[in-house]
Amino acid sequence: MSHPTEKDRKNQSPDPALSDYSPKDAQWDDVRASTERVSQMLYRAGEFESWAHRMHDCTGLLRFAELADTSTGEISLKLRYAEFCHARHCPMCQMRRSIVYRTRFLEFLPQTLSEHPNARWVYLTLTVPNMPVESLREALRDMNKAWNKFTQRKEFRPVSGWIRTTEVTREKHRKGYAHPHFHCLLMVPPSFFNGKNYTKQARWLEIWRECMRDDSIESLDIRAVKGGVEKALLDAVKTFTYSVKPEVLEADPDWALEYFRQVHKLRFIAAGGALKDSIRRVDEMTDEEMIYTDDNPKPEEPEKELRQLGYSWRRHELKYRRFTKADRASEG
């Protein structure tokens, strides 16, 4: 893989930026810049150095195919080459993984809907009191045990399938505190909302308190997903994004480092019932899968593509710029 050298930079005029050529692709700069900052934070801390090295090299070179719209003549870019670091907390890889989760869920859903044509969807958020980030691992262990009890309660029996993800945010008012919570997407029958199966929100809160053995839990949110399957998918995608958002990691390096220690090797996504298979292989993801997603499908006729343009990451300015040495002709 070719990368620009200092000689390349000195001997060439400023290379065009990816964001200038394709403004909608400016997000690549933003997400890669976040990866750069997290990498540098780990280097400075002298901890998790293998992650730091991997993030440092992540997506150093991108290659996009130029595609021409036959009706308008407009040129758009589609990703064709990237090497991802696959580090768990890399913002760039988390962003691409979330798209793969969505793609896999979209592929899984039609069969599920054909088997459950009258299914309705419910969005559930379960919280616990905030705690020092040093206690996060123990808190997550207790939440997982409580969830297992929660799913065994009679009120939960009508649920035919579920997906549960964990998110952790940083408390703003007390330094060093964490707020872990579960996002859950539930597939239920229409009768879930009326008759003997209907359970009020106050009762769901009582059940969660009982399972957690903690009466201090103040809130729980459960609501029907309105707008049909497409809306349900959008809510599902929200749960597939970040276990902790990049801006949270960047805001407090000490908190972030302790968070990394606390969640090391813990799984933050689970599924059960009719949706159990929807997240299989979430830990097994290739570069190709992270490149070719539902919004960037693999070309069936690559010979119809124009050339592929190389863009290299310039960390001194946090921007992708053209790197012509990495250009290549269409694969066709």
Side-chain angles (χ1 to χ4, degrees), residues 9 27-45 51-61 85 87 89-93 246 249-250 260 312-320:
R9 297 191 184 103
Q27 62 172 328
W28 288 99
D29 289 341
D30 297 336
V31 181
R32 184 60 185 80
S34 183
T35 293
E36 191 73 32
R37 289 189 289 267
V38 174
S39 173
Q40 292 303 316
M41 176 187 72
L42 295 177
Y43 275 129
R44 288 192 295 270
W51 287 351
H53 290 312
R54 288 162 62 185
M55 291 185 202
H56 180 271
D57 294 333
C58 184
T59 55
L61 176 68
C85 71
H89 302 291
C90 169
M92 176 66 82
C93 292
L249 297 177
E250 296 174 37
F260 290 156
S312 64
W313 177 243
R314 312 297 172 89
R315 54 178 43 89
H316 62 290
E317 56 178 328
L318 301 179
K319 191 180 289 290
Y320 280 101

Side-chain angles (χ1 to χ4, degrees), residues 59-272:
T59 55
L61 176 68
L62 302 177
R63 191 180 292 124
F64 295 88
E66 285 185 311
L67 299 180
D69 188 306
T70 55
S71 59
T72 66
E74 182 180 358
I75 300 294
S76 62
L77 298 182
K78 293 294 183 181
L79 185 66
R80 292 293 179 259
Y81 173 87
E83 291 186 2
F84 297 95
C85 71
H86 299 273
R88 176 175 180 178
H89 302 291
C90 169
M92 176 66 82
C93 292
Q94 284 198 93
M95 183 267 288
R96 297 306 295 181
R97 276 194 296 265
S98 71
I99 299 174
V100 177
Y101 294 159
R102 181 186 69 192
T103 300
R104 290 178 178 174
F105 192 63
L106 284 168
E107 293 171 348
F108 173 84
L109 196 65
Q111 180 179 346
T112 303
L113 292 179
S114 68
E115 296 171 354
H116 304 269
N118 298 317
R120 301 279 298 277
W121 302 86
V122 173
Y123 200 56
L124 170 69
T125 303
L126 300 171
T127 66
V128 296
N130 296 356
M131 75 289 299
V133 68
E134 291 83 2
S135 302
L136 181 60
R137 194 177 190 88
E138 182 179 357
L140 292 172
R141 180 199 64 193
D142 293 342
M143 290 175 69
N144 279 294
K145 289 181 178 178
W147 171 260
N148 291 335
K149 296 177 183 177
F150 190 79
T151 60
Q152 298 304 311
R153 301 297 287 263
K154 66 178 182 179
E155 292 84 353
F156 196 87
R157 288 175 190 165
V159 176
S160 55
W162 54 268
I163 299 175
R164 191 205 76 208
T165 60
T166 305
E167 183 181 11
V168 181
T169 56
R170 185 175 62 92
E171 184 180 320
K172 296 180 180 179
H173 303 295
R174 289 182 293 180
K175 183 176 176 60
Y177 272 67
H179 172 57
H181 47 285
F182 288 155
H183 293 298
C184 313
L185 185 70
L186 313 180
M187 187 171 71
V188 301
S191 59
F192 187 83
F193 300 97
N194 51 58
K196 64 178 182 180
N197 287 325
Y198 180 71
T199 302
K200 293 183 178 180
Q201 181 161 317
R203 176 56 185 153
W204 284 115
L205 177 57
E206 288 180 0
I207 295 170
W208 180 237
R209 285 172 172 171
E210 291 168 5
C211 293
M212 281 295 301
R213 297 181 180 179
D214 188 348
D215 291 335
S216 70
I217 298 174
E218 297 181 352
S219 63
L220 170 151
D221 186 64
I222 185 168
R223 63 186 68 189
V225 176
K226 298 179 180 179
V229 175
E230 290 186 5
K231 181 64 167 61
L233 284 174
L234 291 176
D235 282 333
V237 171
K238 292 177 185 177
T239 73
F240 290 169
T241 50
Y242 299 101
S243 55
V244 60
K245 293 181 173 64
E247 56 266 28
V248 174
L249 297 177
E250 296 174 37
D252 187 338
D254 291 335
W255 187 97
L257 287 169
E258 184 58 36
Y259 167 80
F260 290 156
R261 299 181 194 110
Q262 292 290 316
V263 305
H264 190 51
K265 294 188 177 181
L266 295 184
R267 291 180 62 86
F268 271 25
I269 184 168

